[in-house]
């Protein structure tokens, strides 16, 4: 998979940015049923094979552009406004990894920092590569949370649990010592906006 489409800077989710770029979802308004189907289909072909619950994904999408009844109704009717996610209730406004800047560009220094939380992992073929397991991801999130002291909401720490740990579940490799997110996969995903080939090739969307 190569980058096929540009993605709006108003979409700060690296996962959704990759799906837009690969033409799987729309950069503007994306119907919630189709969005949730796409995300759940990817989770079903993950190495761990643990699918994400459709209803949970759909509920997050319903609330993603605002929590007022009017906005939730609008999301239900028109779909999620993906290029309008920035500034919405799920945007932690710098309390996360900061790998994607407010202008939508990748922050290389922050990606390097992320890689600093990784350690050598052995994949199922016996090859060694840097990766982050669940404990390292938790340490990464705790450090991001601490860095944001003074400009974070209490909910931001809870939101984090629905981001990198879910990415581990969906894109993680089954290594000799357990599941991990390969740094190379994170880079490909954030910078090239592409899913790992082993996952993309299993998809029948
Ligand atoms: C309805 C579906 C989804 C919506 C509306 C959504 C929305 C968002 C938003 C608004 C952010 C920005 C948070 C910030 O920068 O503070 C974000 C970040 C993120 N999301 Fe999503 N997302 C969705 C699904 C997913 C899924 C399924 C995954 C994993 C497979 C995922 C993984 C991530 C990750 C890793 C981040 C980066 C957090 C960071 O930089 O620290 N998202 N998402």
């Amino acid at each position: 998979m190569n980058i096929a489409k540009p993605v709006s800077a108003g979409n700060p989710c690296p996962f959704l940015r990759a799906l837009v770029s690969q033409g799987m979802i729309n950069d503007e308004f994306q119907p919630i049923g189709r969005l949730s189907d796409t995300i759940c289909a990817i989770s079903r072909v993950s190495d761990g094979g643990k699918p994400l619950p459709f209803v949970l994904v759909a509920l997050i999408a319903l609330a993603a552009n605002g929590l007022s009844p009017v906005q939730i109704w609008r999301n239900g009717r028109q779909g999620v406004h993906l290029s309008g996610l920035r500034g919405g209730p799920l945007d932690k406004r710098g309390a996360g990894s900061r790998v994607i800047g407010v202008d939508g560009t990748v922050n290389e220094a922050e990606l390097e920092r992320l890689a600093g939380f990784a350690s050598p992992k052995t994949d199922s073929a016996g090859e060694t590569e840097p990766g982050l397991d669940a404990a390292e991801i938790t340490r990464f999130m705790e450090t991001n949370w601490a860095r944001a002291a003074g400009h974070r909401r209490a909910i931001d720490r809870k939101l984090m649990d629905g981001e990198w740990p879910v990415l581990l579940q969906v894109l993680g490799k089954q290594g000799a010592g357990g599941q991990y997110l390969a740094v190379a996969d994170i880079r490909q995903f954030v910078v090239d906006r592409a899913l790992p080939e082993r996952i993309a090739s299993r998809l029948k969307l």
Side-chain angles (χ1 to χ4, degrees):
M1 276 193 186
N2 294 315
I3 290 186
K5 296 185 175 166
V7 186
S8 159
N11 178 356
C13 174
F15 190 71
L16 299 180
R17 291 177 68 78
L19 301 195
V20 168
S21 229
Q22 299 302 326
M24 295 177 189
I25 55 174
N26 201 295
D27 193 43
E28 275 293 321
F29 289 92
Q30 174 63 39
I32 288 179
R34 172 91 180 119
L35 173 74
S36 310
D37 273 343
T38 305
I39 292 174
C40 292
I42 297 169
S43 70
R44 275 196 299 276
V45 298
S46 64
D47 289 8
K50 203 172 146 199
L52 294 174
F54 177 95
V55 172
L56 186 64
V57 176
L59 284 174
I60 293 168
L62 262 184
N65 293 115
L67 301 173
S68 73
V70 170
Q71 187 60 61
I72 290 173
W73 179 80
R74 212 176 272 161
N75 275 28
R77 271 189 75 90
Q78 298 181 328
V80 197
H81 186 205
L82 291 180
S83 52
L85 287 175
R86 203 171 279 289
L90 304 179
D91 184 0
K92 303 189 301 303
R93 296 164 174 81
S97 72
R98 302 181 188 168
V99 294
I100 296 171
V102 282
D103 58 357
T105 58
V106 175
N107 188 328
E108 276 293 337
E110 294 294 347
L111 261 186
E112 278 294 309
R113 173 179 169 273
L114 182 159
F117 289 81
S119 64
K121 302 287 184 299
T122 307
D123 69 14
S124 53
E127 301 288 327
T128 302
E129 62 179 340
L132 288 89
D133 60 22
E136 287 158 344
I137 285 173
T138 301
R139 210 170 307 134
F140 175 55
M141 296 189 305
E142 288 296 345
T143 312
N144 294 343
W145 171 249
R147 173 173 73 171
H151 54 94
R152 63 191 188 196
R153 305 167 298 177
I155 185 93
D156 288 338
R157 183 63 191 83
K158 288 196 170 44
L159 289 176
M160 287 180 191
D161 290 335
E163 298 168 346
W164 295 103
V166 177
L167 198 62
L168 173 68
Q169 181 183 330
V170 175
L171 296 192
K173 286 185 175 178
Q174 300 296 323
Q179 203 177 29
Y180 69 92
L181 263 179
V183 170
D185 281 350
I186 297 176
R187 269 204 80 80
Q188 184 189 23
F189 178 65
V190 173
V191 179
D192 303 334
R193 301 199 297 268
L195 295 173
E197 192 45 45
R198 68 180 194 288
I199 304 237
S201 63
R202 291 177 205 145
L203 272 177
K204 292 185 188 69
L205 289 174

